[in-house]
Amino acid sequence: MNLNNIKVPKIPGGGALPTLLKIGVFGGLGLYGVANSLYNVEGGHRAIVFNRILGIKDKVYSEGTHLMVPWFERPIIYDVRARPHLVESTSGSRDLQMVKIGLRVLTRPKANQLTEIYRTLGENYNERVLPSIIHETLKAVVAQYNASQLITQRENVSKEIRKILTERAAYFNIELDDVSITSLTFGKEFTAAIEAKQVAAQEAERAKFIVEKAEQDKKSAVIRAQGEAKSAQLIGQAIANNPAFITLRKIEASREIAQTISNSANKVFLNSKDLLLNLQDMNLETRPK
């Protein structure tokens, strides 16, 4: 059988299928290109772009919407806001006391150096750099002070730590906004020694107060005795000059007794002698000078 003479019938509309397929392919590629050619940079962030042919571009993109070439380029977005980092380190002081110090650091990357940060450190630059330089700085600074000086000169210690950390972090294009000491914990022996010292200081202050109080009581007794002696002297002179002085004192005493009894709710019967009112026996005459 000769197959060359067989005619194959044409399928109606067969030429439209490749056209629709082409439109679908190009349409899909177009939608993919539009969807992947835009990227957003949120507030407080910056972006750099990696190109598959040229590598990392030197330009740093600020906040907003930007264009890129799909598949050939991809954005790398950094958070440039200050972020806190808490680090604890155990170090030895100058007097060989072990000190556990906690440090809180606010850091952010230099926005204009993001390309260099990505090339040298990558995206997790904080985890690569901060722990090592913070621990090293804490050990170096704490070793310069005694344990007691870490408490009394805490502000100076914090300033020294911040100065050294700022210099070390600047080498890695990292900026420090704040450095603060959050905790200082000493060994049990040193803590017990501090408590004993405080108790001894309180006992010394108490003993000092008792001594000062005794001295003041002594001075008060001397002054009181001098006053009583002066008063007795004056009373003796008054009695010698005028015997009626004793009579006047008796009358004043009788008046006080009578006023006390009158204010009492109970009834009391007393004779004139008990009230010191035996005025008939009183000698009211004055002695001639």
Side-chain angles (χ1 to χ4, degrees):
M1 182 182 292
N2 190 1
L3 298 177
N4 294 328
N5 295 326
I6 299 176
K7 296 182 179 179
V8 179
K10 295 182 178 179
I11 300 175
L17 182 60
T19 303
L20 292 177
L21 183 61
K22 291 178 181 179
I23 294 174
V25 171
F26 285 108
L29 291 175
L31 291 176
Y32 174 82
V34 172
N36 292 275
S37 62
L38 298 176
Y39 67 94
N40 293 324
V41 180
E42 303 293 338
H45 294 71
R46 296 292 185 273
I48 57 177
V49 174
F50 173 77
N51 188 287
R52 293 181 182 272
I53 299 174
L54 303 177
I56 295 293
K57 292 184 177 181
D58 294 331
K59 183 179 179 180
V60 177
Y61 297 87
S62 59
E63 303 163 0
T65 302
H66 304 276
L67 292 171
M68 66 175 180
V69 179
W71 190 82
F72 285 98
E73 294 180 345
R74 63 180 177 88
I76 302 167
I77 299 176
Y78 278 88
D79 186 353
V80 295
R81 295 172 294 185
R83 289 187 294 175
H85 300 273
L86 299 176
V87 179
E88 289 187 348
S89 177
T90 302
S91 307
S93 62
R94 189 169 64 181
D95 54 354
L96 303 181
Q97 296 291 336
M98 298 307 297
V99 182
K100 184 178 181 181
I101 182 171
L103 197 70
R104 182 178 182 269
V105 183
L106 286 178
T107 65
R108 56 188 174 87
K110 292 183 179 180
N112 58 350
Q113 298 293 330
L114 289 179
T115 55
E116 185 65 23
I117 292 176
Y118 184 80
R119 288 191 180 101
T120 56
L121 301 174
E123 297 184 53
N124 57 341
Y125 60 94
N126 281 331
E127 289 74 12
R128 292 174 180 267
V129 175
L130 290 181
S132 59
I133 65 174
I134 290 177
H135 283 289
E136 183 179 354
T137 302
L138 288 178
K139 292 181 183 299
V141 174
V142 170
Q144 300 176 11
Y145 295 87
N146 293 332
S148 58
Q149 292 176 337
L150 293 175
I151 300 175
T152 58
Q153 302 180 23
R154 182 166 179 165
E155 183 177 358
N156 294 334
V157 175
S158 180
K159 289 181 179 179
E160 185 70 19
I161 293 174
R162 178 170 185 170
K163 177 183 176 182
I164 298 176
L165 270 182
T166 302
E167 295 174 354
R168 294 292 305 277
Y171 178 78
F172 298 98
N173 298 310
I174 299 174
E175 294 182 347
L176 270 64
D177 290 338
D178 182 64
V179 176
S180 59
I181 298 175
T182 57
S183 63
L184 275 175
T185 306
F186 299 93
K188 295 181 179 179
E189 295 80 5
F190 184 76
T191 304
I194 292 179
E195 293 177 355
K197 184 178 179 180
Q198 292 295 328
V199 172
Q202 293 175 1
E203 291 294 336
E205 289 295 329
R206 181 180 178 185
K208 182 179 178 181
F209 171 76
I210 293 174
V211 172
E212 292 179 353
K213 184 175 181 297
E215 292 179 353
Q216 293 297 328
D217 292 342
K218 181 179 178 181
K219 292 180 180 179
S220 177
V222 171
I223 295 173
R224 184 168 57 251
Q226 291 176 351
E228 292 177 354
K230 185 66 177 177
S231 176
Q233 181 182 0
L234 295 175
I235 292 173
Q237 291 178 357
I239 294 174
N241 296 333
N242 188 2
F245 179 78
I246 297 178
T247 303
L248 178 61
R249 286 298 180 90
K250 287 183 178 180
I251 293 173
E252 291 176 353
S254 300
R255 184 170 56 187
E256 292 178 0
I257 294 173
Q259 186 177 1
T260 302
I261 293 175
S262 64
N263 294 331
S264 176
N266 300 324
K267 295 182 179 180
V268 179
F269 296 94
L270 298 174
N271 55 24
S272 59
K273 292 183 178 181
D274 293 330
L275 286 174
L276 302 177
L277 293 178
N278 49 343
L279 300 178
Q280 296 178 354
D281 297 337
M282 294 183 180
N283 185 10
L284 302 177
E285 296 180 357
T286 58
R287 295 180 182 178
K289 295 183 180 179

